[in-house]
Amino acid sequence: MRKSYRVKKEAEFQEVFEARQSVANRQFVIYRMDRKDQPHFRVGISVGKKIGNAVHRNWVKRRIRQSLTELKPYLKQDVDFLVIARPSTSEMPMPEIKTHLIHALKLAKLLDNDYSEEDQ
């Protein structure tokens, strides 16, 4: 996923967080903020130290990023959102991470209604 698709600055991350539009399931918390002035979505990913050491946290981030890359055509474009991984994601394989992420994105209304897992 290109860097233009990422919320990188702390101030931008904080702005989305403070919008207080959030949903959660057991594995992820998603905060969102609508932005009508941008051409595509931006995402920030946070994986806390409770998940493990730096290598393990990066492993989880890569899987989240890969899942979002695969879902890119189905994601709402005029929004910034944050994906915060909970400790239960630490031992999950890639397909399971993607399944739970899809569930959280649907709860946040960030995934198109016409998306189905058979599309993948």
Side-chain angles (χ1 to χ4, degrees):
M1 185 172 298
R2 292 189 335 240
K3 289 192 180 190
S4 66
Y5 281 87
R6 298 188 196 170
V7 174
K8 294 292 280 182
K9 296 179 182 170
E10 177 64 28
E12 294 170 340
F13 200 95
Q14 220 31 57
E15 186 179 3
V16 176
F17 182 73
E18 289 172 0
R20 301 211 183 269
Q21 295 179 332
S22 67
V23 297
N25 62 13
R26 290 180 186 258
Q27 289 72 27
F28 297 102
V29 178
I30 298 191
Y31 287 88
R32 64 172 284 169
M33 185 174 78
D34 293 334
R35 292 238 187 209
K36 302 294 181 199
D37 59 338
Q38 64 188 24
H40 55 75
F41 69 87
R42 296 184 316 155
V43 62
I45 299 172
S46 176
V47 179
K49 290 187 178 185
K50 287 184 179 180
I51 289 191
N53 63 23
V55 172
H56 200 72
R57 291 192 308 270
N58 286 335
W59 181 87
V60 172
K61 284 183 200 176
R62 278 194 307 273
R63 273 142 186 82
I64 292 169
R65 233 179 266 125
Q66 178 61 35
S67 297
L68 291 170
T69 300
E70 292 171 10
L71 296 168
K72 192 187 316 187
Y74 305 101
L75 288 167
K76 186 174 179 180
Q77 296 299 307
D78 58 349
V79 68
D80 284 354
F81 63 98
L82 310 175
V83 177
I84 301 170
R86 290 185 167 174
S88 59
T89 59
S90 65
E91 300 298 323
M92 295 168 67
M94 174 65 183
E96 205 171 325
I97 286 176
K98 185 175 178 185
T99 299
H100 292 290
L101 184 58
I102 288 169
H103 177 255
L105 291 169
K106 284 181 179 178
L107 289 174
K109 296 185 170 88
L110 293 173
L111 211 52
D112 285 343
N113 291 332
D114 59 346
Y115 172 79
S116 69
E117 293 188 43
E118 290 82 39
D119 294 339
Q120 295 297 307

